[in-house]
Amino acid sequence: MTHPRRPEPLLPRLPSLLAYPAGGQMLAIMAALSLFRLLANLPSLLGLLFEVAFWVMGFKLAVEALTNTAHGRYAPLQGEDVLATDGDAIEQLLLMLVVYLPIVVVAAWFGPVPALVMLALAVLFMPAAIMLLAINHSHANALNPLAWLELIGRLGGAYVSAVLVFTALGFLSALVQALFDVALPYGMGVLPGSFVALYSLVASYHLLGDLLHRHHRELGLDITPAVARTTYANPMEDETMAQAEVLAQQGQPAAAAERLAGLFRGRGASDPVHDRYRELLVAAGDLPALAAHDREYVSSLLETGKDKRALAVVADTRQRVPGFEPALPGHVARLVAQAARTGQSQLAVALAEGFEQRFPQSPELPQVVLTAATLQSERLGQDEPARQRLQAVLGRHPDHALAGEMRTLLAALERVQASGGGARAG
């Protein structure tokens, strides 16, 4: 007969539990929230709203840590992992107010002794209340002494150990925040103090989530893994990508590509799906489909400000489909500028080739020609083609804002030609 394995003691696992908020993207998120809290220094109601927003976001991180850990998901949180709602956070905030505000009132009206007694009880039972609220989402249940005692009775000594660590974290956090307030001038102690408060809060809730996970049998909890995070933008993309990969592994890249194409016909798809679709089309040898897809994909990338990625796609596709280029003059102009900025002179000039004939009325024409002519003369040794392009554009746009720059470059090219350097005709 096999017996259930007893949960590991807390002490050996404590370092990894306390290090949890330092993993994933949590440090960056907490630093950003700490900076955000500086806005709480704004006067009157506005500052109070920012203070409340800070704590709501902080408790969202904490509740997410507790819930994920309780379901056995110990990997540090990433920014996109935070699925806890504002309602979950506000539940916990209200619990804190209901428990600790009466202690402040009692201290003010009846003195420190009864307040200390209430504080000792809060220290003992608050972790139980937090866990009950996270499980049942009921303040009535979370504030029920009978529910506390039942939970504590089932956890036994493990609860006492967790309470000691939970209390120590809260005490040390308050102490460090007070030291920062004293040591740093002009109220700047709130910045590192906020970070410490968030770190302690997330670590504390992670500790309680660990307690629930390791004692779920005693508590009768269902620890079915939390909803799996999507690898791509949504579950539909995950499912479709998985189906496409099966087809690809079976040697059917065209069928795999067609499966992904269904995503594009709806509300669109994320960039990784587009990139995989391109790979499958290349594997299938369907270059016309690749060109048709990439014209739309490049436009989408440019519309969302991803000029660097758009240029990379264009460069790759041009190697497979000679003469490939976007359909809109504004997009071509942006790609020419991006290529010039990143030192891809030949690509910039190639993209600008024939721009005057394709888009004679485009307002971007003078800028595209000036960029291309400059690269042709300074980087590629194509002085004569550059000179001819400049002359043609100046003849049609003599009063353009860039006319002065074009005339300066044209004059320099003509001096080179006059001195015998015009043999560099490209």
Side-chain angles (χ1 to χ4, degrees):
M1 179 178 177
T2 59
H3 298 278
R5 188 175 61 180
R6 297 181 61 186
E8 299 175 38
L10 175 62
L11 190 59
R13 296 181 292 104
L14 191 56
S16 63
L17 291 174
L18 297 181
Y20 174 82
Q25 298 176 359
M26 290 296 294
L27 289 179
I29 295 172
M30 292 187 294
L33 287 179
S34 299
L35 285 169
F36 174 82
R37 196 186 185 190
L38 293 176
L39 296 174
N41 292 323
L42 293 173
S44 68
L45 182 60
L46 190 58
L48 177 61
L49 290 175
F50 281 116
E51 179 73 7
V52 171
F54 167 79
W55 285 111
V56 168
M57 290 185 284
F59 272 98
K60 284 176 69 171
L61 295 178
V63 172
E64 190 74 20
L66 187 155
T67 303
N68 277 280
T69 309
H71 287 89
R73 191 169 185 265
Y74 281 72
L77 296 177
Q78 306 296 329
E80 64 274 12
D81 286 342
V82 182
L83 299 182
T85 65
D86 290 345
D88 296 327
I90 292 171
E91 281 182 353
Q92 294 288 332
L93 276 171
L94 289 176
L95 178 64
M96 298 294 167
L97 289 174
V98 169
V99 172
Y100 289 113
L101 190 58
I103 297 175
V104 175
V105 174
V106 168
W109 284 82
F110 301 101
V113 174
L116 287 173
V117 172
M118 293 178 64
L119 181 60
L121 291 173
V123 166
L124 178 60
F125 294 116
M126 177 57 82
I130 290 172
M131 289 186 285
L132 289 168
L133 182 59
I135 294 169
N136 300 315
H137 299 282
S138 168
H139 283 96
N141 183 248
L143 295 170
N144 183 350
L146 294 178
W148 302 340
L149 295 174
E150 181 182 359
L151 180 67
I152 295 170
R154 293 187 179 187
L155 293 173
Y159 181 81
V160 176
S161 299
V163 167
L164 291 174
V165 177
F166 188 91
T167 304
L169 284 172
F171 175 78
L172 289 173
S173 173
L175 177 62
V176 172
Q177 290 178 70
L179 290 175
F180 278 131
D181 285 338
V182 172
L184 297 179
Y186 309 114
M188 291 304 296
V190 69
L191 188 58
S194 299
F195 185 88
V196 169
L198 289 174
Y199 193 103
S200 172
L201 182 65
V202 172
S204 299
Y205 275 60
H206 175 59
L207 171 76
L208 297 182
D210 174 76
L211 184 65
L212 291 173
H213 177 69
R214 293 185 181 276
H215 296 269
H216 65 276
R217 291 187 181 89
E218 298 94 312
L219 298 173
L221 292 178
D222 177 12
I223 61 164
T224 302
V227 176
R229 296 326 192 230
T230 56
T231 302
Y232 300 96
N234 53 61
M236 181 179 293
E237 283 196 4
D238 277 10
E239 181 180 356
T240 307
M241 284 286 281
Q243 294 170 351
E245 291 306 327
V246 170
L247 292 170
Q249 290 171 8
Q250 294 173 349
Q252 303 179 57
E258 180 58 29
R259 186 62 57 88
L260 294 185
L263 292 173
F264 308 144
R265 300 186 188 110
R267 59 183 179 181
S270 60
D271 292 349
V273 176
H274 282 280
D275 294 337
R276 183 57 178 146
Y277 179 70
R278 297 184 68 252
E279 293 172 357
L280 292 169
L281 289 177
V282 171
D286 194 348
L287 297 183
L290 178 69
H293 166 267
D294 285 358
R295 285 191 180 88
E296 295 186 8
Y297 184 30
V298 167
S299 295
S300 175
L301 290 169
L302 290 170
E303 291 298 330
T304 53
K306 300 173 184 175
D307 294 34
K308 183 177 180 180
R309 177 61 188 152
L311 182 64
V313 171
V314 168
D316 179 76
T317 308
R318 285 176 67 89
Q319 291 179 349
R320 306 176 193 279
V321 185
F324 171 82
E325 54 193 348
L328 298 178
H331 291 169
V332 176
R334 282 176 58 177
L335 291 170
V336 169
Q338 177 68 24
R341 282 195 300 270
T342 54
Q344 301 178 70
S345 302
Q346 289 184 339
L347 179 57
V349 171
L351 287 170
E353 184 177 356
F355 191 93
E356 301 94 312
Q357 291 73 40
R358 292 180 63 207
F359 310 111
Q361 305 302 321
S362 171
E364 291 92 356
L365 190 152
Q367 179 64 73
V368 170
V369 170
L370 176 60
T371 300
T374 301
L375 294 174
Q376 285 179 290
S377 64
E378 295 180 357
R379 303 288 178 84
L380 305 180
Q382 299 175 0
D383 292 350
E384 182 58 23
R387 188 182 67 82
Q388 292 176 3
R389 296 183 81 173
L390 290 170
Q391 284 181 331
V393 173
L394 281 170
R396 295 180 57 186
H397 303 278
D399 300 321
H400 193 272
L402 295 175
E405 292 183 53
M406 288 190 283
R407 289 192 180 96
T408 299
L409 178 57
L410 178 61
L413 291 173
E414 289 177 341
R415 286 196 297 271
V416 171
Q417 185 184 46
S419 66
R424 295 192 308 164

